[in-house]
């Protein structure tokens, strides 16, 4: 539970709303407009996505990240088909079974140490194609950046996408932290997603400065024409949509996505630079805005008195420290100091 | 589609956000807090509900009205059970099958001319209790105010609730326009909902001045302990929950709900008073903020050039005119004038 | 519960297995063969269907009638679409919500006095096409013969099928008593189903002399290619399939379907001829093997001591008397005598 | 596909029906009786189960093994809960996603080399109890004997059951080959299932001499009172139930289960004894009626010309040889001879 005196490193969704985004919301509160996305703000927001990703896309705004993942997948798959994703993925670990219950599909988990999966692993799930006793793999879902803070390179994404298309599979990207990945790679969304061959993206922004609302992007037109029905049936269609979509206008047009993501990534790296000499084990490469580390068990509770963060693995005492666009350098320094103190 | 020059009477969800609610959202944008409802704003919002409805309730904030209905029902019912609701209800007509798909249950429709259902009608659905071949009725869902702008009296609600409880059924109220009903009846929510015996309410506020977000209220504690899981699995759990819940604080504490609802209701009645002499047929009693009327087919399109509204029944030329908290007297007068002109 | 001394008129599924069908089952018990339908018996049974219905069909054997209906529909529809069927249909009344839960779809009920629905009624459900808030009608399901013992004429089926195809809908026929209908109309299955334009049939035979197992027939090849997966996922794929499919071989090839259905129909008509002078109200036309009648409430229980049948409507004292291929003339005569005695 | 000249080792469900079981089916074809299990045969079959397993059980006959698994689990679990089972289990590999789609639950897979899982593995899935973001584990499902022909000892089952009950979990046993396991262990069903603490069993018999139909056994009365509704909703309720249930009467009362299982097990062991000197790798312990072995790839197709069996793992050339109650010693000898010939 929240304690206002603690510094928050539990999740980037504990952060607030970027002021420019808040301003856009306030400005959208003008007059009466059509509901359910047939309003001018939503149209402009879609145009902003097209400027970045190209004309040939479909954009659907939804209420939240789980809703984005499940609705994108619902639109791409039949209930007797299967989705392959890392065992560590949000789909498998953090959506309370929504993927299975709502799509009706089997979600096949592939072991992963760092949140990433490989073509070899996907290949091995493609057995008994056409056998009605087995759920037929139709979608591969990867997370960029991953739940473990690692980032697929463009080559890795392209290799997976190519493999998918050779095998009549679709590639879905869970982009809850897509901006952090793009910032880390120093590339744009078009290079990272469209040019590599992704078919659909859950384009997250809430963790990076929006208030709420995410976007589903499908590459290509009319490839998944049922998506609008699934958005409604999956309870993801906001009536006063303009207040979701308006947030994306400055976020995309004014590069807020990049500033916020670069800042958050920098805070994680700053912490890592300052803490790497300490007697703790860093369990993942620090590529974006999160650090995983094994702490001595006796310092975890004392540290939690001043810093709000999660123990990620109760068995190994691995903790997750998540930095947001609102984390300050001062907070990072306090964390390092406190760690140094406790580790003595 | 939206035309900024038309006066909007299509739905009360075309209206914007009440300024005091917008201010509360902006004020909630302060610092980092726990996500998913474990923040102080959500706790205060729950307290505001308890001040109005009594201590012994559970409150869950969700993303939208369909999500509120489906999540409330998911928590009260097993897949082999059934919900009884008016054929005209939002559940049956406007949720794209989400109720059936997500709960897995059968939704039994009861014919209704005015949006209301009766104990007699419910009684007749209670056949073959215990027979495994038939979905077993477990919940009755009524809409207050109804989709046809009518309002159940307290006695009618109590009669249905009593009947439900005698037959081991639960009573759910779809309160998408619950404030308009309370305003029309001149009673508080406690008298209308708790004292009559409702078990659960989808407490809507988006149509009456909020930006987005609704609340599920369960009367009694721990009666539906699975609700929190269903909220997540139904993709209704917002990460930055404070921005949903904070809206309810002034809405409830400062009687914004009542001011807005009274205004919207008054606009509908003003229109009716001024238009009742015209040669059009009013098909429903005007009790809240909506008017249903049959117009001569040849004037519908010309009227739609200046006013944005829906033809409700293509076969009878019945139209729906929905007034919101933002509708002005001047707009009502323009509508009357235009109608008079076209009807000449 | 069963009382061996009562004459059974509760349902035609209380009857046993026709001796010739039982013999076919015994003969199929020879050696080891491929499971799941890849056996020679199943291939022959499919050929028998093709002899009757034409080459251009798909045949899938399933475990039971509810399974046939739900699996046929699963294969034809997406979860955001809807099925229109009579309120009195087995789909709506007797499948414990399996249609909704398994397909995820909305089932729209159309009122019916005699079990039949009309093009006008279907037409009225086709509103808001393309509107994502409303489940989109995709399939019309009619029952032949109906749950009320009435029979659609070929013209009526053709009219519905034509309407469906003009509106991009599919026509499904629940044929739990399809043989009784064909016998009543004096036509073959091809004339009744294929030539009229049905797209899919749940071809029932269990009530007419089989042990268990029904067939789904799709007219046309590869129109519903997912059906084999849905059969498995819907738990309708028998491992030792030969014992299901072998039953259909003599049933179709030796006209057992016709003999049995004609006999059962004749028993119902015999009863009606002998009882029509009695002071009871026959509520439906007697076209196949069932009679619906309103009895004086005081004679129902005494009659049930000797005859096992269902009260169909507790409010009106309507009873259902169902005659099977095993009902004898003597049993019919006993029933008439007993009724005459009790009505005195 | 079937070739009558090949010896069948593909699956024990390629075998036919034991003559005594076939006789029981024929004898049940006498007169008209109540349908859906309210018939005397079903009552006797339930009594036979009670003689073996004790009075305090519930028995539900269903159509097939996937139906038994899914219906048992549906009755024990809520959609936001999870089932833990071996990655190699029928639930995960061979039911086309029916478990996920029908229960709505997440199925967590635990790696297994021999088809068995351990308490340690289950323990590790029990994280974040009460956290609404994660499917809550409620059921552990083990297969006895496993899909790899291994058998849990009584101690292993008891240890898992004890662990389950300490953690408010239920233990389900997929007993598709439960008789083979009991025969291998030399114990009765009561010792193996009830005395060890299982909560529910999918009691399979089709693979061991029945025609079709399986039984769900719940230990304890009224613990899962919704099961009868789920059986119907899951399309597992046969109308002419007597023909399913009657098979179990001689099967249980006359120890056919034991004779058949012992024979099939013996055939597998006979083969293993005669083949173990050959230059092939046996990949699993031979405990019941199946042998897994890696064959030189070049002999697989030639061997399949005379013997019908499956390649279990395309990557390793592991094959599965399944022996049934109808396999003869002569067939085993032919297989050994052919192998010897091909391996030269």
């Amino acid at each position: 539970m929240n304690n206002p005196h603690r510094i928050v490193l539990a999740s980037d969704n504990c952060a607030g709303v970027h002021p420019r985004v808040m301003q856009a919301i306030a400005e959208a509160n003008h007059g009466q407009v059509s509901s359910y996305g047939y309003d001018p703000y939503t149209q402009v927001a879609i145009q902003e996505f097209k400027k970045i990703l190209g004309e040939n896309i479909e954009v659907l705004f939804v209420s939240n990240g789980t809703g984005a993942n499940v609705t994108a997948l619902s639109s791409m798959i039949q209930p007797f088909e299967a989705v392959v994703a890392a065992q560590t993925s949000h789909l498998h670990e953090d959506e309370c079974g929504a993927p299975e219950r709502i799509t009706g599909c089997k979600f096949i988990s592939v072991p992963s140490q760092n949140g990433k999966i490989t073509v070899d692993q996907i290949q091995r799930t493609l057995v008994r194609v056409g056998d009605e006793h087995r759920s037929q793999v139709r979608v591969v879902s990867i997370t960029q950046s991953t739940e473990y803070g690692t980032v697929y390179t463009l080559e890795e994404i392209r290799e997976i996408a190519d493999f998918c298309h050779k095998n009549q599979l679709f590639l879905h990207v869970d982009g809850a932290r897509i901006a952090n990945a793009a910032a880390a790679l120093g590339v744009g969304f078009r290079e990272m997603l469209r040019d590599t061959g992704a078919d659909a993206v859950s384009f997250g922004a809430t963790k990076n400065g929006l208030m709420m609302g995410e976007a589903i992007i499908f590459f290509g037109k009319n490839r998944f024409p049922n998506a609008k029905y699934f958005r409604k049936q999956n309870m993801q269609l906001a009536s006063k949509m303009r207040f979701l979509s308006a947030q994306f206008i400055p976020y995309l047009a004014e590069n807020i996505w990049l500033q916020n993501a670069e800042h958050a990534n920098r805070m994680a790296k700053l912490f890592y630079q300052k803490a790497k000499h300490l007697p703790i084990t860093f369990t993942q490469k620090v590529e974006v805005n999160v650090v995983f580390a094994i702490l001595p068990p006796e310092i975890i509770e004392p540290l939690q008195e001043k810093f709000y963060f999660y123990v990620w693995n109760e068995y190994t005492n691995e903790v997750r420290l998540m930095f947001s666009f609102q984390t300050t350098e001062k907070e990072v320094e306090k964390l390092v100091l406190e760690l140094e103190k406790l580790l003595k």
Side-chain angles (χ1 to χ4, degrees), chain A:
Chain A
M1 181 62 85
N2 197 58
N3 168 343
H5 305 296
R6 294 197 294 178
I7 289 169
V8 175
L9 298 167
S11 177
D12 33 7
N13 61 29
C14 299
V17 182
H18 189 277
R20 191 59 195 89
V21 171
M22 188 59 92
Q23 189 188 347
I25 291 173
E27 286 167 5
N29 193 19
H30 184 74
Q32 301 210 34
V33 300
S34 288
S35 46
Y36 299 114
Y38 298 96
D39 65 87
Y41 303 93
T42 302
Q43 302 314 308
V44 172
I46 291 172
Q47 284 312 312
E48 291 300 333
F49 268 111
K50 291 187 174 176
K51 283 185 200 161
I52 289 176
L53 292 168
E55 276 300 309
N56 199 27
I57 61 170
E58 305 269 6
V59 182
L60 292 97
F61 297 101
V62 294
S63 293
N64 54 64
T66 298
N69 282 341
V70 173
T71 301
L73 294 171
S74 295
S75 309
M76 304 168 85
I77 200 162
Q78 291 280 322
F80 59 83
E81 295 177 328
V83 177
V84 173
Q87 197 163 20
T88 53
S89 63
H90 200 263
L91 276 172
H92 273 298
E93 287 290 309
D94 297 289
E95 303 191 349
C96 199
E100 284 87 349
R101 177 146 171 260
I102 309 296
T103 68
C105 296
K106 181 157 200 71
F107 282 70
I108 296 174
S109 70
V110 162
S112 175
Q113 295 304 318
N114 64 357
K116 293 160 77 170
I117 59 175
T118 66
V119 163
D120 266 9
Q121 291 180 302
I122 302 164
Q123 168 83 68
R124 247 162 297 160
T125 68
L126 297 186
V127 290
R128 296 162 60 196
V129 173
D131 172 355
E132 69 223 70
H133 293 263
R134 186 176 164 85
S135 292
Q136 300 289 304
V137 177
R138 181 65 54 232
V139 178
V140 172
S141 179
I142 61 173
T143 311
Q144 175 79 326
S145 57
T146 72
E147 292 79 2
Y148 281 87
T150 54
V151 178
Y152 287 91
T153 65
L154 301 198
E155 290 65 35
E156 286 171 330
I157 300 176
R158 190 175 296 116
E159 193 194 354
I160 293 175
D162 287 350
F163 177 83
C164 285
H165 300 152
K166 261 177 221 143
N167 290 280
Q168 285 76 54
L169 312 182
F170 298 121
L171 176 59
H172 168 259
V173 179
D174 177 351
R177 295 188 182 90
I178 197 78
N180 302 86
L185 292 172
V187 301
F189 294 121
R190 182 168 181 144
E191 286 164 87
M192 185 169 61
L193 298 169
R194 174 166 212 152
D195 296 351
T196 53
D199 296 289
V201 181
S202 298
F203 190 97
T206 305
K207 292 180 198 294
N208 194 39
L210 259 56
M211 179 187 287
M212 72 186 64
E214 316 270 299
I216 299 169
I217 312 291
F218 292 115
F219 292 103
K221 283 276 191 190
N222 293 319
R223 293 179 64 205
F224 306 106
N226 299 333
K228 72 169 188 170
Y229 296 105
F230 283 115
R231 176 170 62 174
K232 174 61 194 175
Q233 197 178 44
N234 289 353
M235 305 167 290
Q236 293 301 306
L237 182 59
S239 59
K240 296 185 175 175
M241 179 75 89
R242 55 171 147 167
F243 298 105
L244 284 190
S245 54
Q247 301 173 55
F248 282 91
I249 301 173
Y251 183 75
L252 296 175
E254 302 172 17
N255 276 331
I256 292 168
W257 70 267
L258 185 59
Q259 297 159 30
N260 283 359
E262 282 183 339
H263 176 84
N265 290 1
R266 197 163 51 238
M267 291 304 101
K269 289 192 174 163
L270 179 64
F271 168 71
Y272 176 69
Q273 285 307 322
K274 288 175 179 286
K276 68 180 173 188
H277 68 283
L278 294 174
I280 60 182
T281 308
F282 292 90
T283 51
Q284 297 288 347
K285 217 169 137 186
V286 179
E287 298 193 74
V288 289
N289 62 321
V290 66
V291 173
F292 288 86
I294 292 173
L295 298 187
E298 66 278 9
I299 77 160
I300 291 178
E301 269 192 43
L303 190 65
Q304 284 181 321
E305 278 168 31
K306 297 194 177 159
F307 297 86
Y308 173 38
F309 62 88
Y310 291 123
V311 177
W312 203 249
N313 186 324
E314 310 165 14
Y315 295 99
T316 61
N317 301 305
E318 185 184 34
V319 305
R320 184 183 82 164
L321 304 168
M322 182 72 79
F323 302 83
S324 82
F325 82 96
Q326 291 187 324
T327 306
T328 63
E329 288 196 24
K330 195 167 284 179
E331 288 172 337
V332 172
E333 284 158 12
K334 277 189 191 166
L335 175 63
V336 176
L337 282 174
E338 188 69 19
L339 266 176
E340 286 171 342
K341 200 178 89 185
L342 291 167
L343 284 165
K344 267 191 201 136

